Amino acid sequence: MPAFAKLQNDMERMREAFIGAVKTSSVVAFPFFFLFIGVAPELMHLAYGPKWEPAIPVARILAAIGILQAVTLIDPPLIKACNKPSWEFGLSALLLRGYLVSPVKLWAVHTLLDYRVSRYLKVIGFAVFGCLLMLGTVFGLKALLPVTLATGLRLGLLMTLGSATYGAYIYLRLPDSDWE
């Protein structure tokens, strides 16, 4: 994100750009990963057949990691733009990546930008709440739909109604400025 480099002399604008990037990334990317977690059995069965069922937990774990990656991929260019490439190198050199390093990266970005962590968590929480509503819809429908329903039709219904739930939540809540 070269935009951060252009803003390196204006910390307030860089802070706002960072929060805006986190907001956009979480609102756009999170629902795909959450929806995949919800429909993984149907999707894996339809795409690869029943012999791939043992891979479903692994696929769900990878989707959960994708949720985190969607917002932490913003950190490295920001850290470099703040003239701290050694911080990013040190964080990248750690053997334990992903969820274990993320709190350290959050601290590093917080230290560089001097923003309230609660604001960051509120922005992410907005998208997570919508995704949890979507998952509730998906799992609720799974309980209601007959098991004999064709996998493709079942998957289509789950994805359509789950996505519609998330879309309605975003449509109704996004204009609200209090979530930032």
Side-chain angles (χ1 to χ4, degrees):
M1 292 196 175
F4 289 135
K6 291 177 184 173
L7 298 174
Q8 67 187 147
N9 295 323
D10 187 346
M11 199 54 69
E12 181 61 32
R13 286 183 58 209
M14 188 181 297
R15 187 180 307 118
E16 293 307 313
F18 172 72
I19 291 296
V22 169
K23 183 189 309 183
T24 302
S25 181
S26 61
V27 167
V28 172
F30 283 13
F32 291 102
F33 293 114
F34 274 89
L35 188 60
F36 180 82
I37 290 169
V39 300
E42 292 81 6
L43 188 60
M44 296 287 279
H45 186 274
L46 187 65
Y48 303 110
K51 66 182 178 184
W52 282 86
E53 282 184 27
I56 293 169
V58 175
R60 283 179 163 162
I61 290 169
L62 291 173
I65 291 170
I67 293 166
L68 182 66
Q69 291 297 316
V71 289
T72 59
L73 286 175
I74 300 163
D75 300 346
L78 182 127
I79 291 171
K80 289 173 190 162
C82 290
N83 295 318
K84 299 291 184 186
S86 61
W87 287 19
E88 179 55 31
F89 177 76
L91 291 169
S92 297
L94 292 173
L95 293 176
L96 301 173
R97 300 262 324 168
Y99 286 111
L100 300 177
V101 176
S102 291
V104 178
K105 278 190 166 188
L106 180 61
W107 169 84
V109 171
H110 166 70
T111 300
L112 292 170
L113 293 182
D114 190 31
Y115 67 90
R116 293 182 328 237
V117 175
S118 61
R119 182 176 179 206
Y120 177 85
L121 295 175
K122 193 172 186 180
V123 166
I124 290 174
F126 172 82
V128 168
F129 184 77
C131 290
L132 292 175
L133 288 174
M134 177 179 61
L135 274 182
T137 301
V138 167
F139 287 120
L141 280 171
K142 280 186 179 193
L144 295 174
L145 291 174
V147 181
T148 56
L149 191 62
T151 304
L153 182 56
R154 182 180 183 85
L155 179 62
L157 286 170
L158 293 173
M159 291 179 72
T160 301
L161 294 174
S163 298
T165 301
Y166 183 78
Y169 169 76
I170 294 298
Y171 177 77
L172 294 172
R173 291 282 293 138
L174 197 57
D176 239 353
S177 61
D178 71 337
W179 67 279
E180 187 183 312

